[in-house]
Each structure stands twice: as structure tokens, then as C-alpha cells.
């Protein structure tokens, strides 16, 4: 909780700090990487630094945390921190690194706001920082303990056992432990971080959802290479490297599984809505449902550019077909004429569980959904925002709509 002397100071200075958070977070990263350049090359995602996404996510998280503190100074608003703690744990962040980050973040607040930052204001914001930091440190310690590892020791060698082309831009990789022991268990919806050493010597890390556990002893990830659409932005560094170079027999450094967007147990109705490569956590959830609760009512929605671009299309249809009370709704921007390739029925005949295959953008307004449906969304932000809006119009509670963003979470800062 925020101390009685700091609460009014944070309340009074929140508008000024909030208005400058963009400049503060930009300066914070500049100063920290000036002192520790190896962090940019070896830990932080340098594309998210270049395109500003990480500053925006940090600014959004700090603003959300501080605003919640000001409204309820006697509570610690941990709700916004779960996703961050899981991301940090997948990167092996350690508690001692918080001192460095705090020094540069508070230094940037002082440098940007100048004389307005009196010693009392600095002390109040130091308190906010350490409330956040200690909450994250505690959550990360719990995640490491649950994973059975020491502080930050999350990296493992994993051998690529198999590679499969899933669409013209997508490949899946089955990963196994080189010592032959089963890979660690994971919850449906969780992801791993993968390290890659790029041609310029930088080590870059990205997250990939676990899309299945073939034979129960291995992990499967599915990677879509990010192309440079029109030459204005560079192609994705790690996904392109994995697509071009990762082959069976190679060893990758991969973290243990983390992630807080996981399928809840129970028998309540579910809606799984994905677009493009956002299908990966949904596959993992569907594998789980097909094995442990095939009677659960599930509506599955997937949108893609075309049937040919739709990675894991037959697997998706086959999985939905194994559920007794599930329906599959597909939307393709084009090429819907080849839809029969996407369903596990006879050519020209949709399988019984395929509710429809339509052309155009996904539209959930026509669906009939039980009011107690829990929804999971994964795909580009505009897709998820549109689907979420429609679900709330349907009467679903905002608390029942969960989402996974395949990048820094910018939903908070929008
Ligand atoms: C929890 C989670 C799960 C995920 N699961 C999956 C999954 O299952 N499958 C999957 O394929 N991906 C997944 N992702 C996304 C994945 O982690 C990577 O973000 C993705 O592969 C792109 O990484 P990259 O290194 O290829 O691209 P990056 O090099 O990181 O580039 C990302 C984007 O930034 C742009 N960019 C780079 N530099 C600049 C610049 N200077 N100015 C403007 N723009 C720039 C690039 O053009 C590109 O569009 C997941 C992400 C998260 C957080
Ligand atoms: C109170 C302190 C901190 C806050 C509020 C914070 C906040 C955040 C946020 C909001 C994200 C983006 C999460 C997402 O949506 O994916 C993130 C990611 C990250 N954080 Fe922190 N963080 C803190 C401390 C640290 C520390 C101490 C380190 C270690 C040096 C660190 C390293 C990282 C890295 C490497 C990422 C991933 C960056 C990327 O993928 O672009 N953070 N953090």
C-alpha cells in the first residue's frame, strides 16, 4: 500500500507524470542501454525498441498501476502485473536487475520533469516503483518456485526433433530434451521463449505458444515468418531466421513454459476465437479439451487470409470434430472456394461440426452464445478488439473475455 505521505503527492503529480510517460520511458531505455548495451543485444527485443512498442507497453503498465494506487491507496493493484511477471519469468529476469531499472526509470522522471521533481516527489514515485517492483519480484519468485528452478534459471537446450511446413510462411517445430527425458509439462495456452543468435552476433529472444505436445513428451511450437510487406519495415528477425535456418537435429535454447492465459478447468461453455498465427494457443487448448473434456460446449472461430494461408487447418477441424458439442466457424478474406481443403469431411461436403465457411472478416454478431460463455481471443489487436466489442454486445461480461497479444500488450495504453 502507498504511504499516507506519498498518496497525495502521487495523486497531484500523476497528471504531469502521465502526460510525459512517453518521453520518460524513451529516455529510460536510452540511458539504461548507454550504461548496459549488452541488455539491448542480449535480453530486450530490439524491434520493440525500434518501433516504440516496448516503451508504450511500459508506460501503459506504469500509468495503470499508479492510477489504481491513487484510487485505492490501501491496495496493491496486482491485476495488471500477471502478464508482465510471466513474460519476465520466461526471460529469466532476476530480482537484482530491478535496482538498475529503478535507478534509470526514476532518473528519467527527474530528467524529463526537471525542477517539478522535488525530493518529496522523487520519494513518492520511488515508493510507487518499488511497490510495482516488489510485487513483480514476488510473483516471479513464485513462478520460479512452481517451475522448480532457482531465481531466473529457466533456459534449457532443446533439440529440434521434427520440422513441418504448415503453410507457405509457417513452420512447426517439435522440440525434445537431448537427454531423452520428457519435456516439462505445460498448461494449455502457455508459451516458451526461444533464443536465437543472429548473424550480427546479437542474441534475440521471442515467445512462441506451445501448440501441442506430440506424444506427451515433446513440445511443438509453430512459427510464422514476418515478411517485410512493402519494404517500409524490416522483416521479422527471429521468425525469419527460424524459418530459414532451423532444421531437425539442431539445438535451440528454450525457456521453461510460462504464461497466465490458460484454459480454466470446469465444464462451462467456451468460445475460442483466433486469426492467423493466433491459432497456436487455441490448438493447445483444443488438444486438451479433446483429451480431458470432450463434452464441454465450445464455439471455435478462426479467421485467415485464405485456406492456403491457414496453418494447421486440418488439425483444427479434426480436433473440433473430436468434441461432442463444438462447432467450427471459418472466415477467409479470399479463396473461400477452396474451403473444402480446410475441413476433415468428404471433398465438397463439410464435416458435421463445421458450422460455416464464409468470405470476409470474422463477424460473431450472428452467433448464439450462452451468457456464461468464457472467451479466449488471440490474433491481431484490431481483430481482438472487434470480437471483444461484439461479445460484450452479446451480453458477455468483460471479465469473461480473455486475450493473448503476440507482442507487448498495448491494449492498456490505448
Ligand atoms: C505470448 C506470445 C506468444 C506468441 N506466440 C507466437 C506463436 O505461436 N507463433 C508465432 O509465429 N509468433 C508468436 N508470437 C510472436 C513472436 O514472439 C514474435 O514477435 C514474432 O515471431 C516476430 O518476431 P521477429 O523477431 O520475427 O520480428 P521482429 O524483428 O521482432 O519484428 C517485429 C515487427 O516489428 C517491425 N519492426 C522491426 N524494426 C522496426 C523499425 N525499426 N521500425 C518499425 N517497425 C519495425 C518488423 O517489421 C515486424 O513487423 C508470440 C508472442 C508472444 C508475446
Ligand atoms: C517495476 C519494474 C518493471 C516494470 C513495470 C516492467 C514492465 C514491463 C512490461 C509492461 C513489459 C511488456 C510485457 C508485455 O506486455 O509483453 C515488460 C517486458 C520486459 N521487461 Fe520489464 N518491467 C520491469 C522490470 C524489468 C526488469 C528489472 C528487467 C530486467 C532488466 C525487465 C526486462 C524486460 C524485458 C527484457 C521485457 C521484454 C521486452 C520485449 O519483449 O520487448 N523488466 N516489462
Amino acid at each position: 500500500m502507498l504511504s499516507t505521505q506519498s498518496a497525495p503527492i502521487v495523486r497531484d503529480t500523476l497528471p504531469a507524470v502521465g502526460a510525459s510517460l512517453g518521453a520518460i520511458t524513451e529516455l529510460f531505455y536510452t540511458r539504461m542501454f548507454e550504461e548496459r548495451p549488452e541488455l539491448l543485444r542480449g535480453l530486450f527485443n530490439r524491434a520493440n525498441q525500434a518501433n516504440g512498442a516496448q516503451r508504450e507497453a511500459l508506460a501503459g503498465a506504469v500509468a495503470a498501476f499508479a492510477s489504481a494506487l491513487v484510487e485505492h491507496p490501501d491496495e496493491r493493484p496486482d491485476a495488471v502485473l500477471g502478464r508482465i511477471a510471466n513474460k519476465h519469468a520466461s526471460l529469466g529476469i532476476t530480482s537484482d536487475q530491478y535496482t538498475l531499472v529503478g535507478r534509470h526509470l526514476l532518473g528519467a522522471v527527474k530528467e524529463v520533469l526537471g525542477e517539478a521533481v522535488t525530493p518529496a516527489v522523487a520519494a513518492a514515485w520511488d515508493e510507487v516503483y518499488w511497490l510495482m517492483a516488489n510485487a513483480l519480484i514476488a510473483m516471479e519468485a513464485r513462478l520460479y518456485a512452481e517451475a522448480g528452478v532457482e531465481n531466473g534459471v529457466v533456459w534449457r537446450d532443446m533439440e529440434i526433433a521434427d520440422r513441418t511446413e504448415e503453410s507457405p510462411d509457417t513452420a512447426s517445430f517439435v522440440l525434445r530434451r537431448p537427454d531423452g527425458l520428457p519435456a516439462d509439462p505445460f498448461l494449455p495456452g502457455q508459451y516458451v521463449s526461444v533464443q536465437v543468435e543472429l548473424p550480427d552476433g546479437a542474441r534475440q529472444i521471442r515467445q512462441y505458444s506451445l501448440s501441442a505436445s506430440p506424444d506427451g513428451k515433446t513440445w511443438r511450437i509453430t512459427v510464422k515468418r514476418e515478411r517485410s510487406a512493402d519494404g517500409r519495415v524490416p522483416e521479422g528477425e527471429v521468425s525469419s531466421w527460424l524459418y530459414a535456418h532451423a532444421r531437425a537435429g539442431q539445438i535451440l535454447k528454450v525457456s521453461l513454459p510460462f504464461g497466465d492465459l490458460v484454459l480454466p478447468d470446469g465444464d462451462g461453455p467456451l468460445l475460442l476465437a483466433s486469426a492467423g498465427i493466433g491459432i497456436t494457443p487455441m490448438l493447445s487448448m483444443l488438444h486438451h479439451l479433446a483429451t480431458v473434456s470432450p463434452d464441454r460446449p465450445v464455439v471455435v472461430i478462426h479467421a485467415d487470409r485464405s485456406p492456403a494461408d491457414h496453418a494447421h487447418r486440418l488439425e483444427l477441424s479434426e480436433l473440433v470434430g473430436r468434441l461432442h458439442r463444438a462447432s467450427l466457424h471459418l472466415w477467409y478474406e479470399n479463396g473461400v472456394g477452396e474451403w473444402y481443403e480446410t475441413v476433415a469431411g468428404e471433398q465438397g461436403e463439410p464435416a458435421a461440426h463445421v458450422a460455416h465457411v464464409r468470405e470476409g472478416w470474422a463477424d460473431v454478431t450472428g452467433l448464439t452464445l450462452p451468457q456464461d460463455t468464457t472467451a479466449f481471443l488471440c490474433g491481431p489487436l484490431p481483430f481482438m478488439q472487434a470480437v471483444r466489442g461484439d461479445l460484450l454486445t452479446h451480453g458477455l461480461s468483460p471479465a469473461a473475455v480473455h486475450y493473448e497479444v503476440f507482442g507487448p500488450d498495448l491494449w492498456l495504453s490505448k
Side-chain angles (χ1 to χ4, degrees), residues 29 32 39 43-45 48-49 54 57-58 61-62 81 83-84 87-88 91 93-94 97-101 105 129 132-133 136 205 207 407-410:
Y29 283 117
M32 185 167 75
L39 289 181
L43 177 63
F44 280 83
N45 174 327
N48 290 340
Q49 290 298 322
Q54 177 59 24
L58 177 61
V62 173
L81 302 180
R83 176 185 163 93
I84 306 172
K87 175 73 87 70
H88 282 168
L91 293 158
I93 302 297
T94 50
Q97 291 175 308
Y98 281 85
T99 308
L100 172 84
V101 165
L105 198 50
Y129 174 78
M132 261 186 123
L136 285 168
I205 304 173
Q207 289 68 44
D409 185 357
L410 304 183

Side-chain angles (χ1 to χ4, degrees), residues 212-338:
S213 173
D215 72 19
K217 291 191 198 156
T218 52
W219 295 336
R220 186 186 66 185
I221 58 170
T222 306
V223 179
K224 174 162 194 261
R225 69 169 149 170
E226 284 210 12
R227 287 176 178 272
S228 166
D230 50 12
R232 277 186 300 136
V233 289
E235 65 176 17
E237 292 200 279
V238 172
S239 61
S240 302
W241 189 93
L242 287 168
Y243 191 85
H245 301 292
R247 295 286 180 275
Q250 290 171 357
I251 301 285
L252 292 173
K253 283 248 181 281
V254 183
S255 77
L256 293 172
F258 292 99
D260 61 348
L261 186 93
V262 295
L263 192 67
D265 287 335
D267 51 14
L270 295 169
L271 176 134
L272 308 181
S274 56
I277 193 61
I279 194 169
T280 50
M282 307 308 174
L283 289 171
S284 165
M285 293 182 186
L286 287 166
H287 277 286
H288 179 79
L289 290 168
T291 311
V292 306
S293 48
D295 287 322
R296 201 157 173 186
V298 190
V299 172
V300 180
I301 291 167
H302 184 78
D304 225 305
R305 249 183 270 149
S306 71
D309 286 302
H310 179 177
H312 296 291
R313 48 191 180 269
L314 290 175
E315 182 179 334
L316 178 71
S317 179
E318 191 263 328
L319 283 169
V320 179
R322 282 169 57 195
L323 304 177
H324 307 146
R325 296 164 69 198
S327 59
L328 176 61
H329 306 251
L330 297 167
W331 276 270
Y332 296 116
E333 282 171 50
N334 51 58
V336 78
E338 286 92 56

Side-chain angles (χ1 to χ4, degrees), residues 369-390:
L369 294 173
Q371 291 286 293
D372 58 342
T373 297
T374 304
F376 290 88
L377 320 181
C378 189
L381 212 46
F383 165 83
M384 294 198 290
Q385 281 166 332
V387 172
R388 183 170 185 272
D390 288 345

